[in-house]
Amino acid sequence: RSCAEGIRCASKISYADHMLFWLTLLRASKVIYTDEPLAVYRKRRLEREEDISAQLKGEIFSYRMILSQSQHISNIPELFYWRMFSVYLDIMSRLDDLHVSMERKLQLVDDLDVFRQELAPFAAKIREGSRQAGVPFQERVRYEVMLSKAGERMMALKKKKIK
């Protein structure tokens, strides 16, 4: 119970369970693995692109909150930062196939860029976490560029491509 104290979850936003998982995991002094699931989720198939867009917006928001609230926790493993960055990469890859209005897509790119900027100070930890996760060297170099000033230019080009 003490691991969950002080965690603030936004209402009506999906991925609150992710927030609870990551923040309690980071605070726990011991973790026990079991093969039995503690929860089973029913995956809802989203048909409309607008629903998918809203889901992505909620996902970005939730992971930004996870990153923000994790800063009060000491001894965070590098793999945590790598996992946060991999969420960014996953959402970025899904944007190209999203068919919503230009304004909606640009808003998602803006939200994602804010998340990228919040991750940038942890570039060294992301690099080490990705190395621990077995990410090939070439990919790690590409990710480092994404977190640098060149990442800002990359996001500007992404916006230009949308327009």
Side-chain angles (χ1 to χ4, degrees):
R1 179 181 264 190
S2 64
C3 287
E5 279 182 31
I7 295 175
R8 296 178 322 276
C9 296
S11 62
K12 298 183 181 179
I13 296 286
S14 56
Y15 295 92
D17 57 331
H18 291 226
M19 181 177 302
L20 185 63
F21 167 79
W22 280 108
L23 295 174
T24 55
L25 179 65
L26 290 173
R27 292 174 175 181
S29 59
K30 187 188 296 185
V31 176
I32 298 172
Y33 173 82
T34 81
D35 286 330
E36 295 299 314
L38 298 177
V40 177
Y41 293 92
R42 181 176 62 89
K43 204 136 175 116
R44 189 182 80 166
R45 182 171 161 81
L46 298 174
E47 299 290 336
R48 295 183 12 208
E49 295 286 328
E50 292 296 323
D51 293 339
I52 295 168
S53 173
Q55 178 192 12
L56 290 176
K57 187 170 184 62
E59 188 174 354
I60 294 165
F61 179 78
S62 293
Y63 276 91
R64 287 184 59 215
M65 285 185 70
I66 292 168
L67 185 63
S68 170
Q69 291 186 45
S70 71
Q71 300 316 298
H72 302 60
I73 302 169
S74 59
N75 301 321
I76 296 176
E78 287 85 0
L79 282 171
F80 167 77
Y81 294 102
W82 161 243
R83 182 64 187 116
M84 293 297 107
F85 185 67
S86 66
V87 167
Y88 163 83
L89 293 172
D90 176 60
I91 296 171
M92 179 68 87
S93 72
R94 291 189 280 168
L95 283 181
D96 290 335
D97 296 328
L98 188 62
H99 303 289
V100 292
S101 69
M102 179 180 66
E103 293 79 21
R104 189 102 180 210
K105 199 176 242 190
L106 287 172
Q107 182 59 56
L108 282 169
V109 171
D110 284 342
D111 293 345
L112 206 49
D113 192 37
V114 170
F115 187 37
R116 183 194 63 79
Q117 291 170 34
E118 291 169 348
L119 286 165
F122 306 104
K125 291 181 180 204
I126 292 168
R127 178 179 49 245
E128 178 56 24
S130 64
R131 187 194 64 73
Q132 291 172 11
V135 174
F137 177 75
Q138 297 88 339
E139 288 295 303
R140 292 196 317 260
V141 170
R142 185 171 72 94
Y143 300 155
E144 198 148 336
V145 169
M146 292 170 91
L147 289 165
S148 71
K149 287 286 185 189
E152 291 176 22
R153 291 190 294 278
M154 178 191 76
M155 294 304 276
L157 288 172
K158 184 112 179 135
K159 285 183 183 182
K160 194 173 187 178
K161 182 180 165 188
I162 291 169
K163 291 178 183 179

